[in-house]
């Protein structure tokens, strides 16, 4: 059988795609072809010898492998006898994954059989046709054709017998039917263009039916989550994966994994997606880091340097486990190069991070963002944003802290972190993690490790007892599957939440993993080369090498070795043996299942004992020799817990952080890092500063409270555990570190005279963390452009930012420099100013204003302050002009803020654009004109900062007016400075009092008046410009004074004034409600100007929660007529309300109170909730009913009519609270007075209903209306007299007036047309109908008020059918009237004595006269002398037997017949003989005696 051409010339195809049955057929075909070829050669005289031996079908140890088939015909025709392998290269025998216990037992039995077979080597043979073994071949004997055919037939019969027997054994041994998955057709690799679709196919056989999962680069594909991308189909062993609109990211290695209870098998295929290069790639160009970006041609030429700026960068951030946190910054790169975008890189603790399911990055519009979707402690660390432009880069860093999430069990430890998988192999992996910083209050006893197979959600615990070592070997994995792991900590209180799951790891041989992860060298070609090896004979593997103990703890020991060099081409597994040191008693550890990985973890070893270990290799050929034994290993922890660090030293950093340094632990092995804890001095409570161990000996502890004193401690951690704490550090106050201020700047001349100059400057931008205490000024002469030496202008520091330097030389140039100082020392001097000439100013206009300051910055406004010029010109300064422009606008953009000069040295600039930067300047004005402009302010951003608060005015209960300001951003050196009209208010002010406590300050007015009108502002020093103001003008002062008066003399506001109501018991309740009352509120109650008090008559109450004040009177007597007043007092607040009850108002109230009291007493016993009433039921009956309440079982009800008790048969059930009396078919005789009486031991109640006169007429009207409504539609009924129209009602009463109309005219009743009521039927009879009776008939029913109608159209077919039916019934009536009849006279049975005469007579009627016939026993009887038959006058028929004989007994019948009908009458004649009966009786008695 030759191969098709497409298999000969393609490396992707081999014979392994065929099924097992096809390969077996091919083997037998080739074997037969060779045998027949040898026979033909012998007949032609060609000497040929071939060994004839039976083909063995014993199990072969060879693993099934695919073959490369050559195109040469000789190689195609070689013998390929099929053998059944013991186990295959990808087959797995895994216990514990079967669906039922029965399958698990079968699996174990199958494995034991294979293990015994492998260990003994019995029954394992290699079956091949060896044509070259001539020594063992039998001589060929020439046979005739008939003999050959007979032998061939015998062989075929024998083969059939063997196959039937094998099939029988397969059926009785179910285990042989089970086999691992086999890929009959494997998925094929593809190379396609982008946007094309591709479909991967495979065919899998196996029993039970395998489950197939598709993977991309070892990651399961979930088609349900991405239906637009993937489509997976399975059916009848054919499986496919379709990928839609492929792009370059789909280039990967895909594989299908088939699994059932007998094992798992995988088949791989590669997909290469090529990108079309015909069009220009518009993706942003990224320059390789190896080539300097400066050599790239840009629109600007060759870029040699880039300036990178970070605007609004992220700061130190705090998050909690499970939350989402975003870090971001705006990035500005200069110069901007079109189409050249910077490379944005994010680092955590110096390691480049990549997008994953836990984090994502985004770069758009010059803004870089890193989003942590689900915070875990692994995310804690120093985050760095690096912006790269070619070989130039800049970066910004800030720390992110992650707090522990809430524990599921209070007191349980927090979750471990950084779970990683190390040293993964076929069935083994080492899981490592870091211990948490918080143990929940009690020591951690150990950790539980859980695993989960990728693609499922089922977690399995790997260890039964907690392990303390932070590494653990997990065994028993299934080769080819991927797993994730997590860890939970446990203490005596409970178990922590699980850690973040690890990255998926595949249980594969490291070589296989490296092969899978390798990528094609030229992915755009799509060429996939598959190389496969020919199988060889089974070889027993040699001993493993380099066996060593890689890790030993008191819980487990891990062994590692190298696979044997001699092992053949099939997989190798291993048996591990142990021996107590000093003995040669080797015990096999894994007796049931050999391990596949060259790693093994041994558990349950005795702690403290010494052991040696060795390993044996095995495969299907057998078990090899053991490796060299390891040296004696003592079971116990080899890694010690590190020693505590020492010498913690804190130092100031910022107002919320402290820098802590320490001496690292000595001789610490495998150190993971350090945990730092902080505690407020004296609190005794320690809080973790980091939840992810940090390396090194320095850490910045953030998130501390400003002004508090903290102590710190540190401990080290490695896999063995956490060390003890170091000694506590010294206490340190959290405040910003102090530094000298920066240099002042913008020095300018404010005034110049012959021998002196006044200079001004701007304060330093950085104060050094404390208040600036003063300034020092130096000056020097400049002669011919050469500056001289510096001289001190002042020996003692000055606090003002303007200073006059004396003793200068006229017309000489001078330069100045200024240095600021604080408690930390003298700062850096400013840059030398430009040269100023000392000369007398003679200009008439003023000099420049100075010391410009901006405060109260908001999004739409800011306040500018300045000081008047030192040089005022020839006349005094009369006002100022203020100019403003945006910082980036040109000089021509300056515009005036005020049209007219203002006398104040402050102004509030409004109508600004939020988010824009502005600069301002001031010009002074005198009579001579506008003077020099001041220096321009620094650019100020018009923005309301988050958390900005304003000054709030309050009026307290004592009427004191105060302005209040609050700041939550105070520094230790911050102060509140109050000003009026931007001039500081001294502490000794006679108008106000200033009170400051913590972050709140208040200025209170002592005696508010017009003198206090003005702008009051508050500035917080040593902050970022926190300030606010409040303006009190005349209107505001009036409003505040009114509030003050209301607070001094308060009135209790009322929701409602004094009111009165009647309570259920007839009590009278007086009440009023205030809007708000305190617990100390009081009330006075006054009646007719006399105070009344709580007692038997009056019950008084004040409810401060609801503000209700009430008074309840038991009875309202005649003497209670008058005026009631309630007076309230709550602190200083008062109010009152009155109610006048006199005359008709009082009488009405008193009457209602008495009625309510009577009603209350009545309702103490059984009583009526609703009194008697009536209703007409749908059945047109009358139902008397009432609702009752407060009934008991022994409560009796009695009905009366006109004083006579009505007897009721059944006892009433009061559950529904309704008493009823049903009157059926009511009529005038039922009129009367009905009464219902309720009675028991608690009381009696009565209800009466008058149904007489008009009341009864109303009832009957309602009844008639209901009867009319119950009328059915008018129907037609024909009878022998004519046509009847009728309608049924529930029942009829005479009060319902009934009439009929024909064609809208009243019918006049005659003998032919009659109307009437029969029972419930209302009818109209039309006798002998004629055509004039056709038309529309209407039944009219008048209930006393309304007329109700029912109509019928008696015409056309309806009339014709009715008349026809009438004629038919009329004829039937005539026939019935005149038909022949036997009226009577004949008995049913006649008993007569023999010999007597019988005479019977009956009457017969009919018109015409009927014919008479007599019958005996259904035969006609003729008259004779013995039987005389007569019919006389057409009416009388007689039957006479003169002498009756026994033969006359029988059944007789008379039949009367005429043209209208026939009628018969039967009778029976019985004749008896007395003598014969006596003889028979005597004979019967004689027989009885004989017996």
């Amino acid at each position: 059988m030759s191969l098709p051409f497409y298999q000969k010339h393609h490396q992707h195809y081999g014979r392994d795609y065929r099924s097992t049955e096809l390969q077996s057929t091919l083997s037998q075909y080739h074997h037969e072809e060779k045998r027949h070829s040898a026979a033909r050669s012998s007949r032609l005289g060609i000497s040929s010898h071939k060994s004839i031996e039976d083909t063995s079908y014993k199990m072969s140890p060879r693993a099934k492998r695919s073959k490369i088939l050559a195109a040469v015909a000789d190689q195609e025709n070689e013998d390929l006898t099929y053998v059944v392998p013991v186990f295959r290269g990808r087959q797995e025998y895994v216990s514990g994954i079967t669906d039922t216990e029965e399958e698990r037992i079968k699996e174990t039995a199958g494995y034991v059989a294979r293990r015994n077979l492998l260990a003994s080597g019995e029954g394992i043979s290699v079956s091949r046709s060896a044509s070259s073994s001539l020594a063992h071949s039998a001589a060929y004997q020439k046979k005739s054709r008939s003999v050959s055919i007979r032998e061939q037939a015998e062989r075929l019969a024998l083969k059939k017998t063997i196959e039937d027997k094998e099939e029988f054994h397969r059926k009785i041994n179910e285990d042989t039917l089970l086999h691992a998955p086999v890929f009959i057709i494997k998925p094929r690799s593809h190379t396609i263009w982008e946007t094309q679709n591709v479909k991967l196919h495979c065919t899998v056989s196996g029993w039970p039916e395998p489950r197939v999962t598709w993977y991309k680069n070892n990651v399961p594909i979930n088609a349900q989550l991405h239906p637009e991308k993937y489509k997976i189909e399975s059916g009848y062993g054919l499986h496919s994966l379709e990928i839609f609109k492929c792009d370059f990211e789909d280039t990967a290695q895909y594989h299908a994994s088939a699994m059932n209870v007998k094992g798992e098998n995988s088949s791989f295929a590669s997909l290469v997606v090529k990108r079309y290069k015909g069009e220009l790639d518009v993706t942003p160009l990224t320059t390789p880091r190896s080539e300097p970006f400066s050599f790239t041609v840009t629109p600007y030429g060759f870029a040699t340097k880039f300036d990178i700026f970070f605007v609004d960068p992220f700061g130190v951030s705090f998050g909690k486990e499970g939350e989402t946190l975003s870090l971001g910054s705006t990035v500005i790169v200069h110069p901007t190069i079109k189409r050249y975008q910077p490379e944005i890189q994010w680092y955590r603790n110096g390691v480049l991070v990549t997008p994953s399911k836990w984090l994502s990055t985004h770069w758009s519009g010059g803004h870089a963002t890193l989003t942590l979707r689900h915070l875990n402690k692994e995310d804690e660390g120093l985050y760095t944003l690096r912006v790269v432009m070619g070989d130039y880069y800049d970066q910004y860093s800030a720390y992110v802290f992650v707090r522990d999430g809430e524990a599921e069990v209070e007191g349980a430890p927090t979750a471990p972190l950084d779970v990683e998988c190390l040293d993964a192999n076929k069935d083994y992996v080492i899981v490592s993690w870091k211990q948490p910083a918080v143990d929940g209050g009690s020591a951690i006893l150990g950790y539980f490790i859980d695993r989960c197979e990728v693609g499922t959600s089922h977690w399995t615990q790997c260890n039964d007892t907690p392990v303390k070592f932070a590494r653990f070997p997990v065994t028993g994995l299934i080769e080819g599957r991927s797993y994730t792991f997590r860890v939970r900590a446990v203490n005596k209180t409970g178990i922590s939440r699980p850690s973040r799951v690890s990255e998926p790891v595949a249980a594969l041989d490291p070589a296989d993993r490296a092969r899978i992860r390798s990528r094609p060298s030229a992915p755009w070609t799509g060429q996939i080369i598959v190389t496969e090896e020919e199988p060889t004979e089974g070889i027993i593997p040699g001993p493993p090498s380099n066996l060593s103990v890689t890790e030993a703890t008191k819980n487990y020991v891990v062994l590692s070795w190298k696979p044997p060099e001699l092992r053949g081409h099939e997989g190798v597994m291993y048996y591990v043996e142990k021996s107590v040191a000093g003995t040669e008693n080797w015990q096999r550890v894994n007796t049931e299942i050999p391990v596949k990985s060259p790693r093994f973890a041994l558990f349950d070893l005795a702690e403290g004992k010494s052991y040696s270990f060795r390993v044996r290799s095995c495969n299907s050929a057998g078990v090899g020799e053991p490796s060299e034994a390891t040296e004696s290993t003592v079971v116990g922890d080899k890694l010690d817990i590190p020693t505590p660090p020492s010498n913690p030293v804190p130092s100031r950093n910022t107002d919320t952080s402290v820098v802590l340094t320490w001496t690292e632990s000595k001789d610490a092995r495998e150190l993971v890092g350090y945990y730092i804890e902080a505690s407020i001095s004296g609190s005794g409570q320690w809080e973790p500063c980091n939840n992810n161990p940090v390396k090194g000996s320095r850490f910045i502890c953030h998130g501390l409270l400003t002004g508090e004193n903290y102590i710190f401690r540190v401990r080290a951690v490695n896999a063995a555990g956490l060390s003890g704490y170091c000694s506590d550090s010294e206490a340190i106050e959290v405040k910003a570190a102090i530094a000298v201020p920066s240099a002042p700047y913008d020095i300018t001349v404010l005034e110049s005279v012959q021998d002196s100059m006044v200079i001004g400057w701007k304060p330093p931008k950085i104060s050094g963390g404390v208040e600036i205490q003063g300034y020092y000024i130096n000056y020097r002469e400049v002669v011919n452009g050469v500056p001289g030496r510096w001289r001190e202008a002042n020996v003692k520091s000055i606090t003002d930012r303007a200073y006059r330097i004396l003793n200068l030389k006229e017309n000489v140039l001078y330069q100045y420099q200024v240095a600021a100082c604080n408690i930390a020392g003298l700062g850096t001097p400013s840059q030398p100013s430009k040269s100023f000439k000392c000369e007398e100013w003679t200009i008439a206009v003023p000099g420049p204003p100075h010391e410009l300051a901006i405060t109260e910055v908001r999004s739409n406004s800011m306040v500018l302050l300045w000081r008047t010029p030192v040089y005022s010109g020839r006349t005094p300064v009369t006002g100022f002009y203020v100019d403003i422009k945006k910082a980036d606008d040109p000089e021509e953009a300056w515009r005036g803020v005020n049209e007219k000069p203002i006398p104040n040295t402050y102004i509030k600039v409004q109508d600004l654009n939020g988010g824009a930067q502005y600069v301002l300047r001031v010009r002074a004005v005198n009579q001579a004109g506008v003077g020099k402009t001041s220096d321009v302010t620094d650019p100020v951003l018009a923005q309301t900062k988050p958390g900005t608060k304003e000054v709030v005015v309050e009026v307290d209960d004592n009427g004191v007016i105060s302005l209040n300001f609050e700041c939550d951003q105070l520094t230790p050196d911050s102060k509140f400075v109050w000003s009026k009209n931007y001039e500081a208010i001294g502490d000794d002010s006679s108008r106000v009092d200033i009170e400051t406590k913590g972050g709140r300050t208040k200025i209170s007015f002592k005696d508010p008046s017009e003198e206090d009108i003005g702008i009051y502002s508050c500035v917080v020093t040593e902050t970022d410009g926190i300030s606010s103001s409040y303006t009190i003008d005349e209107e505001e002062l009036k409003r505040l004074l009114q509030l003050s008066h209301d607070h001094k003399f308060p009135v209790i506001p009322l929701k409602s004034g004094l009111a009165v109501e009647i309570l259920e018991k007839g009590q009278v309740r007086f009440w009023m409600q205030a809007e708000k009352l305190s617990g100390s509120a009081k009330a006075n109650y006054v009646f007719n100007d006399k105070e009344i008090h709580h007692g038997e008559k009056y019950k008084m109450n004040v409810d401060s929660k609801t503000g209700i004040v009430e008074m309840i009177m038991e009875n309202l007597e005649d003497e209670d007529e008058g005026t009631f007043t309630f007076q309230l007092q709550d602190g200083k607040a008062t109010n009152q309300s009155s109610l006048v009850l006199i005359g008709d108002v009082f009488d009405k109230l008193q009457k209602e109170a008495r009625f309510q009291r009577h009603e209350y007493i009545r309702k103490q016993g059984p009583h009526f909730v609703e009194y008697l009433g009536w209703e007409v039921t749908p059945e047109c009956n009358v139902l008397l009913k009432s609702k009752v309440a407060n009934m008991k079982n022994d409560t009796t009800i009695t009905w009366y009519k006109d004083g006579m008790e009505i007897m009721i048969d059944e006892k009433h059930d009061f559950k529904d609270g309704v008493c009823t009396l049903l009157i059926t078919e009511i009529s005038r005789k039922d009129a009367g007075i009905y009464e219902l009486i309720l009675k028991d031991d608690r009381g009696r109640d009565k209800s009466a209903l008058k149904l007489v006169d008009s009341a009864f007429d109303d009832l009957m009207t309602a009844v008639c209306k209901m009867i009319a409504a119950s009328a059915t539609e008018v129907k037609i009924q024909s009878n022998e007299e004519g046509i009847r129209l009728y309608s049924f009602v529930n029942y009829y009463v005479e009060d319902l007036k009934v009439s009929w109309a024909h064609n809208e005219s009243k019918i006049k009743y005659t003998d032919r047309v009659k109307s009437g009521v029969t029972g419930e039927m209302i009818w109209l009879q039309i006798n002998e109908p004629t055509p004039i009776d056709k038309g529309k008939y209407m039944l009219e029913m008048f209930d006393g008020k309304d007329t109700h109608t029912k109509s019928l159209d008696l015409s056309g077919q309806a009339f014709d059918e009715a008349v026809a039916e009438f004629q038919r019934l009329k004829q039937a009536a005539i026939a019935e009237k005149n038909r022949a009849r036997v009226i009577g006279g004949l008995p049913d049975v006649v008993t007569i004595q023999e010999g007597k005469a019988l005479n019977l007579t009956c009457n017969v009627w009919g018109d015409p006269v009927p014919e008479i016939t007599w019958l005996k026993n259904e035969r006609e009887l003729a008259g004779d002398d013995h039987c005389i038959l007569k019919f006389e006058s057409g009416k009388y028929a007689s039957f006479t037997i003169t002498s009756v004989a026994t033969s006359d007994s029988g059944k007789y019948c008379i039949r009367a017949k005429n043209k209208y009908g026939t009628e018969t009458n039967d009778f029976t004649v019985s004749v008896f003989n007395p003598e014969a009966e006596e003889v028979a009786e005597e004979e019967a008695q004689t027989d009885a005696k004989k017996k």
Side-chain angles (χ1 to χ4, degrees), residues 1168-1334:
F1168 291 95
V1169 177
E1170 292 182 5
Y1171 289 100
L1172 269 179
W1174 56 263
E1175 69 177 30
V1176 181
T1177 66
E1179 293 79 15
C1180 302
N1181 298 322
V1182 175
L1183 184 68
L1184 306 184
K1185 68 175 185 178
S1186 65
K1187 287 188 178 180
V1188 296
N1190 201 13
M1191 307 291 285
K1192 296 196 308 182
N1193 291 334
D1194 56 351
T1195 302
T1196 60
I1197 65 171
T1198 307
W1199 289 90
Y1200 294 89
K1201 179 192 174 188
D1202 297 331
M1204 299 295 293
E1205 183 179 353
I1206 302 174
M1207 303 304 297
I1208 299 177
D1209 296 336
E1210 57 185 23
K1211 188 175 181 181
H1212 201 281
D1213 186 4
F1214 300 110
K1215 290 183 179 179
D1216 54 358
V1218 178
C1219 291
T1220 60
L1221 176 65
L1222 183 64
I1223 305 174
T1224 59
E1225 298 184 2
I1226 192 168
S1227 62
R1228 287 287 174 179
K1229 65 180 181 179
D1230 296 312
I1233 299 175
Y1234 291 83
E1235 294 177 336
L1236 175 60
I1237 297 177
L1238 309 177
K1239 184 178 182 182
D1240 61 17
D1241 55 354
R1242 297 169 299 164
R1244 179 177 179 272
D1245 201 3
K1246 175 182 177 181
S1247 177
L1249 177 65
K1250 293 182 179 181
L1251 293 180
V1252 293
D1253 300 332
S1254 61
F1256 188 78
D1257 292 340
D1258 294 339
L1259 172 61
M1260 291 307 297
T1261 299
V1263 172
C1264 292
K1265 183 176 182 180
M1266 186 63 71
I1267 292 174
S1270 70
T1272 63
E1273 296 297 326
V1274 178
K1275 296 182 180 180
I1276 304 172
Q1277 183 182 21
S1278 298
N1279 52 34
E1280 64 274 12
E1281 296 177 357
I1283 299 174
R1284 174 169 289 189
L1285 308 182
Y1286 68 93
S1287 174
F1288 285 101
V1289 294
N1290 283 352
Y1291 75 93
Y1292 176 77
V1293 294
E1294 294 179 354
D1295 295 78
L1296 181 65
K1297 306 302 181 182
V1298 177
S1299 63
W1300 291 87
H1302 178 220
N1303 293 333
E1304 299 183 357
S1305 298
K1306 293 289 186 179
I1307 294 177
K1308 296 181 179 180
Y1309 303 113
T1310 63
D1311 291 339
R1312 193 177 73 87
V1313 180
K1314 301 177 182 180
S1315 174
V1317 178
T1318 303
E1320 289 81 25
M1321 177 191 289
I1322 303 174
W1323 51 265
L1324 174 69
Q1325 179 69 36
I1326 305 173
N1327 294 331
E1328 299 296 332
T1330 63
I1332 63 174
D1333 296 320
K1334 293 182 180 180

Side-chain angles (χ1 to χ4, degrees), residues 722-737:
L722 282 79
S723 73
Y725 291 102
C726 68
S727 57
D728 297 348
S729 69
E730 294 183 356
I732 185 172
E733 183 182 1
V734 180
K735 59 188 301 185

Side-chain angles (χ1 to χ4, degrees), residues 1008-1058:
S1009 65
E1010 292 183 356
E1011 296 181 25
D1012 297 310
I1013 294 175
I1015 301 173
Y1016 291 84
S1017 62
C1018 182
V1019 177
V1020 185
T1021 63
E1022 301 301 325
T1023 60
D1024 190 14
I1026 296 177
S1027 57
S1028 182
S1029 64
Y1030 192 88
T1031 301
I1032 299 179
D1033 52 17
E1034 292 184 5
E1035 292 296 327
E1036 180 66 6
L1037 181 62
K1038 290 180 180 179
R1039 186 183 73 85
L1040 293 177
L1041 289 175
Q1042 181 61 43
L1043 282 176
S1044 177
H1045 178 270
D1046 293 341
H1047 284 220
K1048 285 182 179 178
F1049 309 101
V1051 175
I1052 300 175
L1054 300 179
K1055 285 186 176 181
S1056 62
L1058 187 60

Side-chain angles (χ1 to χ4, degrees), residues 1429-1460:
L1429 304 176
K1430 292 181 180 181
F1431 180 58
E1432 298 173 344
S1433 303
K1435 295 182 180 181
Y1436 310 105
S1438 63
F1439 174 79
T1440 304
I1441 299 177
T1442 56
S1443 179
V1444 178
T1446 55
S1447 58
D1448 294 326
S1449 296
K1451 182 177 180 182
Y1452 292 84
C1453 174
I1454 183 174
R1455 180 170 62 193
K1457 179 179 179 182
N1458 66 4
K1459 65 178 182 179
Y1460 293 113

Side-chain angles (χ1 to χ4, degrees), residues 895-963:
R895 62 179 177 86
V897 176
N898 52 318
E899 296 179 357
K900 296 181 180 180
I902 57 174
N904 304 323
T905 57
Y906 58 87
I907 189 173
K908 186 172 185 177
V909 185
Q910 297 181 335
D911 300 328
L912 303 180
N913 296 328
Q917 288 187 324
Y918 293 90
V919 292
L920 298 97
R921 67 185 184 186
V922 184
R923 294 170 294 156
V925 180
N926 63 8
Q927 293 181 356
V930 180
K932 293 183 177 182
T933 61
S934 67
D935 284 344
V936 178
T937 63
D938 292 334
V940 179
L941 179 65
Q943 182 183 32
T944 302
K945 295 182 179 180
T948 299
K949 299 181 180 180
E950 304 293 346
V951 174
V952 178
V953 63
E954 293 180 357
V955 179
D956 63 14
D957 293 339
N958 296 321
V960 177
I961 303 172
S962 63
L963 300 177

Side-chain angles (χ1 to χ4, degrees), residues 27-315:
S27 299
Q28 296 176 12
Y29 174 83
H30 288 299
H31 183 73
E32 293 295 329
E33 281 292 314
K34 288 186 178 182
R35 191 177 60 79
H36 290 302
S37 297
R40 287 194 295 271
S41 298
S42 299
R43 287 195 294 272
L44 292 173
I46 300 174
S47 177
S48 176
H49 300 279
K50 180 176 178 62
S51 173
I52 301 175
E53 62 178 334
D54 293 336
T55 302
S56 174
Y57 288 94
K58 295 181 180 179
M59 301 180 72
S60 169
R62 293 182 298 172
K64 179 179 179 227
R65 296 177 180 269
S66 58
K67 300 180 180 180
I68 298 298
L69 301 179
V72 183
D74 293 342
Q75 294 182 359
E76 290 182 21
N77 296 326
E78 70 176 354
D79 191 1
L80 297 174
T81 302
Y82 174 71
V83 295
V84 181
V86 172
F87 35 75
R88 305 178 180 186
R90 296 189 184 276
Q91 190 169 347
E92 301 287 349
Y93 296 97
V94 184
S95 179
I97 65 171
T98 55
D99 295 332
T100 64
E101 188 64 27
E102 180 182 359
E103 292 179 351
R104 197 172 290 119
I105 294 172
K106 291 177 182 179
E107 181 185 6
T108 306
Y111 173 74
V112 173
R114 289 189 291 272
R115 183 195 65 188
N116 296 338
L117 180 65
L118 180 63
S120 63
E122 297 177 359
I124 301 175
S125 64
V126 179
S127 172
R128 300 182 65 87
S129 299
S131 61
S132 60
S133 304
L134 299 178
H136 299 285
S137 64
Y140 177 78
Q141 297 180 2
K142 188 174 182 180
K143 300 180 181 63
S144 66
R145 177 176 179 80
S146 61
V147 174
S148 177
I149 292 175
R150 184 174 62 253
E151 290 179 353
Q152 184 175 357
E154 290 174 355
R155 282 195 300 272
L156 291 176
L158 180 61
K159 178 182 178 183
K160 177 63 174 175
T161 303
I162 293 174
E163 289 177 351
D164 293 341
K165 190 171 183 179
E166 289 177 348
E167 180 67 22
F168 173 75
H169 283 292
R170 278 197 296 270
K171 290 182 178 179
I172 64 175
N173 186 5
E174 186 181 355
D175 186 62
T176 59
L177 296 176
L178 304 177
H179 61 277
V182 175
F183 280 86
I184 299 173
I185 298 178
K186 297 183 178 180
R188 182 169 62 87
S189 300
H190 291 265
T191 300
I192 63 172
W193 293 104
E194 277 189 320
T195 71
Q196 289 184 337
N197 298 344
V198 68
K199 198 169 187 178
L200 304 179
H201 297 271
C202 67
T203 303
V204 184
S205 69
W207 187 259
E209 184 178 354
R211 183 188 66 185
V212 175
T213 305
W214 290 89
Y215 293 82
K216 175 184 178 183
N217 289 336
N218 294 323
V219 178
I221 296 174
N222 192 336
Q224 294 181 351
L225 292 180
H226 306 284
E228 75 287 350
K229 188 66 179 176
Y230 301 104
K231 181 180 180 181
I232 296 176
E233 294 180 338
S234 299
Y236 305 102
L238 179 63
H239 306 272
S240 65
L241 167 66
E242 187 171 3
I243 307 174
F244 303 105
K245 295 183 180 180
C246 296
D247 54 25
F248 195 73
E249 297 298 326
D250 294 316
T251 299
Q253 187 175 52
Y254 295 82
H255 79 272
S257 174
M259 181 185 67
N260 63 10
V261 297
K262 301 304 291 181
E264 187 266 348
N265 200 352
S266 299
S267 183
F268 294 81
S270 296
L271 175 63
V272 177
V273 182
K274 295 168 61 176
R275 178 173 292 170
Y276 180 60
K277 298 296 184 180
E279 298 178 357
L280 178 63
D281 190 358
V282 296
T283 55
L285 176 62
T286 56
T287 305
R289 297 297 304 276
S290 58
E291 300 179 6
F293 191 83
S294 57
F295 292 102
T296 303
V297 179
T298 71
Y300 297 92
F302 293 94
T304 59
K305 179 175 175 57
F306 291 94
D307 293 323
I308 300 173
F309 304 94
F310 298 93
V311 180
D312 295 330
F314 58 94

Side-chain angles (χ1 to χ4, degrees), residues 734-793:
V734 180
K735 59 188 301 185
I738 299 176
V740 296
S742 60
Y745 60 101
D746 285 353
I747 300 175
T748 186
V749 174
L750 303 179
E751 185 184 27
S752 177
V753 295
Q754 293 181 351
D755 58 350
S756 65
M757 299 174 72
V758 178
I759 63 172
W761 58 89
K762 292 181 179 178
K765 294 183 177 179
I766 300 175
S767 64
V770 290
E771 185 179 1
I772 293 177
Q773 294 182 336
Y775 298 92
Y776 290 92
I777 300 93
N778 298 329
Y779 69 96
R780 64 184 177 185
E781 296 180 0
V782 180
V783 179
N784 297 326
V786 178
R789 65 180 183 85
W790 289 105
R791 299 179 183 177
E792 295 181 351

